[in-house]
Structure formats: C-alpha cells, structure tokens
Amino acid sequence: MAVIGPSARRIAERAAALARIGAVGEGVTRLGLTPEERRAHALVARWLAELGGRVRRDEAGNVFARVGGGGSPVLIGSHLDSVPEGGRYDGALGVVVAVEALEALRAAKVVLRRPVEVVGWADEEGVRFGLGLYGSSAAFGRLPAQAAERTDARGVSIREALRALGLRGDPARARIRKGSLRAYIEPHIEQGPRLARQGRALAVVTTIVGIAHGRVTVRGRQDHAGTTPMSERRDALAAAADLIAAIARAAAARRDAVATVGEIAVRPGAKNVVPGECAFSLDVRAPRERDVAAVLRAVRVAAAALDRERGVRTSLGRMDRVPVTALDRSLRGLLRRACAAAGVDAPELVSGAGHDAMNAQLDGVPAGMIFIRSRGGSHSPREAADPRDAARAAAALAEALRELCG
Ligand code: HGY
Ligand code: MN
Ligand code: MN
C-alpha cells in the first residue's frame, strides 16, 4: 500500500497561521460566533477548497468541506474557537491534522470510495454564551431548549450573533440527518501530562467524562463595610468563599472527580460595601455518573448549611449536563491499528476534557478520538505540541480513513 507521509512542516505552518487569528501574546482568544472564529473558519475553508473540498457553512456557524463521491461520509475534525487567553492547539491542531490527513491521502493517490467531510465546529468551549459543545450540539440535535436566546455578558443572544455573521439565527436548522454519517473521528491534543510522561506520541480515547455546568447565586444583604458588625452581616461573598472551598473538598473526596469555579461576579462590587450578591460558575466532572451526582448533592448540602449559618439564600441554577460517554468500541480498535500502521503503539486513555465527539456518539454516530501528546497544560498560553506528533496523528487518521473509505 502507498506510504502515507503527512508533512510536519505544513502542519506547523498552518497551526501558526490559525494562532495569528485572535493572538494574545503566546496564546489566542477566539471566542465562539465572533469575527475571529469566522476568520479561522474561512482560512480552513480555503485550505479545504484548494484540496477540492465542497465547502459549506451551516446555520449554527459550523464549517464543513466534503471530498469524494456519494454515500454516508466519515466526518473528521474538531473546533476552532478557544477559551480567553487559551492555547494555540486546543481544537485547532485537530482541524489542521484532519486537513493534513486528506493532503496525505491525495499525495498517496488513495481513491476514496466513501466521502470524507472535514468539520470546524463553532463555539465548543461555550465561554461566551455559557453553552459548551454548542456547534456539535446543533448538528447532532442536542441543543437545550431556547438555546438561541442564551446571551453573552453584553446581552447579545446566540440568535443575534448568528445574524451578525450573516446567518438566519436558528442553530437548530443545522441538524444533520440522523444516520447520515458512517463515523466521526476527532484528533485533539491530550491537554494533560499522561502521554508526555509515558513517552508516547498518540493515544486512543475510550471514554469522555460526564460534565455538569451551571451557575450558583448567593444572595445576602448589602451593607456598610464600616458600620455593620461582623456578627450581623449576611456577606454573600464570604458565604460563597466557604461554599467554593466545600465544592473543592467534595470533588477531592471522590476518585477522579474534579470541580472548578472559573468565573465569579460580586454585586455591587465596591471595597466599602458588604457584598449583597455573588454569582459564580460551577464545572463538575467525573468518569462515573454517580460521582458527578454525588458532588452536586454535596454542593446542595453545603449550600443549605451555609444558608442557615450565614443567613444567606443560595440557588443552584440550570445545570447543563453531558453524560459520561463511552466512544465506539470497534472504532477504538480500528484507531489503534491505524496508530500502529503509523508507527505508534498508542495506549487507551479516558478524557478529562469534554469534546464534540460526545455529541456524535450520543446521537448514535460511531465516534472515536486520537489524542496527540501535548505539554504545558491547556487552556493556557503554555500549551505546547510537537508538529511531528501531529504528523503521526495525521498518518494514523489517514490510515483509518483508508480502512473506512479507501
Ligand atoms: O472544557 C472542556 O473540557 C473543553 O475544553 N471544552
Ligand atoms: Mn478546550
Ligand atoms: Mn478542545
């Protein structure tokens, strides 16, 4: 069989070109449904058009390009948005690797019997509107009710943001017909230390953790910082601080569970005013559903105790949930064989990060993921990846496509 040889140099160049869109120092800020994300989609669309891809944008703002003939395609890709001041490889390197796999198949003159479609998902991070995995949720029919009405910090709704991008404003219209895809494969950096520690370039993902996202609001009583005795205060921020510490303890008490408070807002927010209200984000994850539920229960118990002790009122708002998602078993085997054909003995790992592959799998599309060794953590400008490892991932993906479509 023809040797498939992706180009690490072209991968490095294209990852750097994407990183220049929304660049902030060594990192990037490319939030969902923004002009920066749209520019990244346009750049990837140009690469795919040069490959002969038939490019289209759906009503949720995702970009697709299909190569090859008729039949149900294999969809490959990842997301092109980032967190604020995030890394340049989270999502973007997976899209570059997907394009490079097509480049390598074309160079090896592999004839595709089944079409391959590359996707750049919109707003996977959910930073701006608070709705994670947004683009793939729209495509796989998993948007929550009234998703288009979700607003950002300036009160702009998803509907308005889509219209500003020249779309009609109804992301539900992006729904891909159920059963129309043969498989979904997502290359993505690991975003953790395991592959680097094991000295391995690639891994195949077995399961993706369950995730609960929500907002907690603590309401106390706004008061004068100088004339209100400590014993008479209903300090919303002090109560929230106790609750946030209790949340961390609840997660630490359960194997492999994690909980994070990444955003917090205080009202009225003045140094000489006892805070009357405090709202903060909550992100709870675990590889077992019962542990996600157990942490959420512990949060509610801790909040009720604080309400009694501090005379505040705590509410846990709407929780967006994605269940623990086991990826397709046969695809896992195929991806391990493909990694071996690319010269990598890939271990299997559980993913602590959420991914668009969850929505594909939950919609009945056999989904698989190839992790690429990364260093420097993630969701940080320190995030780093070696283009040679990315080229190995592209070779593995090309081998997988040769088996699925060749
Ligand atoms: O939050 C996550 O796990 C992913 O990066 N969106
Ligand atoms: Mn991310
Ligand atoms: Mn990601």
Side-chain angles (χ1 to χ4, degrees):
M1 284 198 280
V3 173
I4 293 182
S7 160
R9 181 191 45 74
R10 182 167 44 208
I11 287 172
E13 285 168 359
R14 286 179 167 175
L18 279 172
R20 285 192 285 272
I21 303 174
V24 177
E26 283 307 301
V28 292
T29 296
R30 205 164 50 224
L31 301 190
L33 303 185
T34 61
E36 291 78 21
E37 185 191 59
R38 182 81 204 99
R39 282 173 40 215
H41 282 195
L43 180 58
V44 169
R46 201 176 76 223
W47 297 334
L48 288 162
E50 287 162 6
L51 260 173
R54 300 181 295 284
V55 176
R56 69 180 176 92
R57 190 171 54 151
D58 72 10
E59 285 295 333
N62 301 308
V63 67
F64 296 85
R66 181 175 297 201
V67 295
S72 54
V74 172
L75 183 65
I76 61 176
S78 190
H79 62 95
L80 286 167
D81 64 306
S82 78
V83 296
E85 301 174 42
R88 51 177 54 195
Y89 301 107
D90 176 1
L93 192 63
V95 177
V96 170
V97 162
V99 178
E100 188 61 29
L102 286 187
E103 298 274 6
L105 286 169
R106 185 172 69 162
K109 298 185 177 19
V110 173
V111 177
L112 295 175
R113 267 187 306 100
R114 172 190 300 279
V116 175
E117 195 154 46
V118 178
V119 60
W121 296 117
D123 199 11
E124 183 271 350
E125 300 291 359
V127 167
R128 186 177 168 198
F129 300 98
L131 187 55
L133 307 180
Y134 152 81
S136 57
S137 296
F140 293 112
R142 295 177 48 78
L143 283 173
Q146 278 81 47
E149 312 321 321
R150 298 270 181 112
T151 56
D152 66 10
R154 288 183 295 123
V156 176
S157 68
I158 287 179
R159 185 182 310 283
E160 290 159 335
L162 289 169
R163 285 178 177 156
L165 293 171
L167 296 165
R168 283 177 276 187
D170 177 6
R173 301 168 75 103
R175 178 42 162 146
I176 293 172
R177 185 171 48 81
K178 196 169 176 68
S180 61
L181 293 174
R182 165 63 185 79
Y184 173 75
I185 303 175
E186 180 166 359
H188 197 290
I189 55 169
E190 181 205 338
Q191 301 180 286
R194 292 166 294 178
L195 282 177
R197 284 186 187 144
Q198 294 178 28
R200 303 286 189 88
L202 306 176
V204 172
V205 176
T206 55
T207 300
I208 302 175
V209 294
I211 302 177
H213 275 160
R215 287 190 76 72
V216 180
T217 304
V218 182
R219 291 179 179 84
R221 189 181 61 212
Q222 184 172 328
D223 263 325
H224 194 294
T227 58
T228 312
M230 293 309 283
S231 60
E232 294 176 24
R233 293 183 177 207
R234 297 185 182 179
D235 184 331
L237 181 52
D242 285 351
L243 183 52
I244 292 166
I247 288 167
R249 286 194 299 272
R254 286 165 184 82
R255 190 163 58 90
D256 299 333
V258 290
T260 310
V261 173
E263 300 168 35
I264 191 164
V266 179
R267 288 180 59 199
K271 61 180 175 301
N272 58 355
V273 179
V274 175
E277 184 177 299
C278 178
F280 58 84
S281 63
L282 180 60
D283 175 312
V284 176
R285 312 182 187 203
R288 287 174 301 279
E289 278 300 315
R290 66 174 181 274
D291 288 327
V292 176
V295 172
L296 292 176
R297 258 196 320 277
V299 173
R300 290 191 176 91
V301 167
L306 273 168
D307 288 0
R308 289 190 299 275
E309 287 156 27
R310 286 184 169 270
V312 295
R313 280 178 299 109
T314 306
S315 59
L316 204 56
R318 172 193 61 220
M319 294 298 289
D320 291 319
R321 290 290 305 267
V322 187
V324 173
T325 306
L327 297 184
D328 184 78
R329 186 168 288 279
S330 66
L331 207 47
R332 275 166 52 184
L334 185 150
L335 290 176
R336 292 200 68 190
R337 287 196 304 278
C339 289
V344 178
D345 175 16
E348 293 196 314
L349 294 179
V350 170
S351 174
H355 295 287
D356 293 303
M358 301 172 93
N359 279 324
Q361 186 69 43
L362 292 167
D363 190 38
V365 179
M369 287 194 74
I370 298 173
F371 267 175
I372 302 162
R373 174 167 44 193
S374 64
R375 290 183 169 83
S378 184
H379 285 185
S380 152
R382 298 189 324 277
E383 186 180 275
D386 185 330
R388 291 166 298 184
D389 288 341
R392 293 182 179 100
L397 181 54
E399 291 293 350
L401 292 173
R402 181 168 26 202
E403 182 166 334
L404 285 166
C405 313

